[in-house]
Amino acid sequence: MRTVAVTKIGSLRDPDESARGRVGIVELPDQPLGPEDVRIRVAYAAICGSDPHLAEGFFGTDVPIGLGHELSGVVEAVGDGVRTGIRVGDRVAGNFLRFCGSCGPCRDGRQQFCEHIQDYNRPGMAETVTWHESQAYRLPESVSLRQGCLLEPVSVAVRIADKTRLRVGDRVAVCGGGPIGQLALQVMRLHGATSLTLIEPIAARREMALAAGAEHVIDPVGEDQAARAAEITGGRGYDVVIDASGSTRAVRGLLDIAAKGGTVVYGAMYPHDFEMPLNLSDALYLKELTLTGVFVSPYAFPRAVQLLPLLDLDALSATWFPFDQAVEAFAAHLSGEHPKVLIRCNDLDSHDLDSHDLDEGGAS
């Protein structure tokens, strides 16, 4: 089975070609179809901001490391014991992780710490992927396969919303205008956020956020971030502050713009050795801030499916490359010139009702 994988450990951005990490297409063994499994012919797989971290050895260094956890496709086989009603021909997306449901954390309502969470973590940037039936969700009819591969990042935005404990009318700021930041901003808008603000240095991303419903944008490089936040919130600060940037520079100033009693959610992946100074007296005693993070997306996928038709996903699904141009797709992702880059693993667009519109914006 042909799969996009890390073939050499190292930063994909390293200027030294001899030290630079590499991505390529390799042959991996076919995944077995168990009685409760579904085999999916993959239509689109999106490149995630975490994928370059895999090339850097964040989760291990034994290559090849298969990639791909944001995907959509069409079911081509089901096991004899499948009970969810999923059938051959269904258009699906889903959770790259299987929560076992039986271990201590799963039974205690903390699926994200499932003791068997890696058992079905299989690379989906491939010709096919085989998942447990609990991982797959049918796509709404109005959502294309190209849009549907964004279900997993939408689930992250839903999980972020869960962690904010947002009250309707709360003032909300999102730092970072990448895919997760843009989706979190849209989910916050639907959730009743006010003074909705994106903090982002790249002008095109600020414009994208405004088009999607942001009320305000802040350029943290060209503007005084704290002063603008005070102006927007009438000096009160934001009740909810979300970091979706993963930037060690950006996160340092977010506690300063949070309101007293506010919540700050760190919803990105950070360098494993990064430590941020924290003044406990200011942040936790005087301001009583709640600080929390996001690992994966337990209990979020059913609601993320419901939200898909309500979100503006066009800009995030506009740029795609054919499977055989996976290396070029990663180069486009690293360039930062596109909101999101997808790889079309198989041409299954005929399964979409609006297939005649799907080739616009392709990079083939």
Side-chain angles (χ1 to χ4, degrees), residues 1 3 28-34 39 122-124 126 128-131:
M1 177 181 64
T3 304
L28 293 180
D30 290 336
Q31 300 154 0
L33 181 73
R39 179 173 295 123
R122 296 168 170 177
T128 66
V129 66
T130 301
W131 278 347

Side-chain angles (χ1 to χ4, degrees), residues 189-225:
R189 178 178 58 81
L190 292 172
H191 217 32
T194 62
S195 300
L196 187 56
T197 304
L198 180 76
I199 302 169
E200 167 59 52
I202 299 175
R205 293 180 176 182
R206 297 197 299 270
E207 291 300 319
M208 183 177 169
L210 289 169
E215 297 175 59
H216 308 277
V217 292
I218 298 175
D219 175 1
V221 175
E223 299 180 274
D224 184 324
Q225 177 174 296

Side-chain angles (χ1 to χ4, degrees), residues 110-131:
R110 295 177 292 129
Q111 282 183 336
Q112 66 270 35
F113 305 123
C114 174
E115 294 170 359
H116 306 284
I117 201 169
Q118 295 296 334
D119 287 1
Y120 270 70
N121 185 0
R122 296 168 170 177
M125 202 171 282
E127 294 172 316
T128 66
V129 66
T130 301
W131 278 347

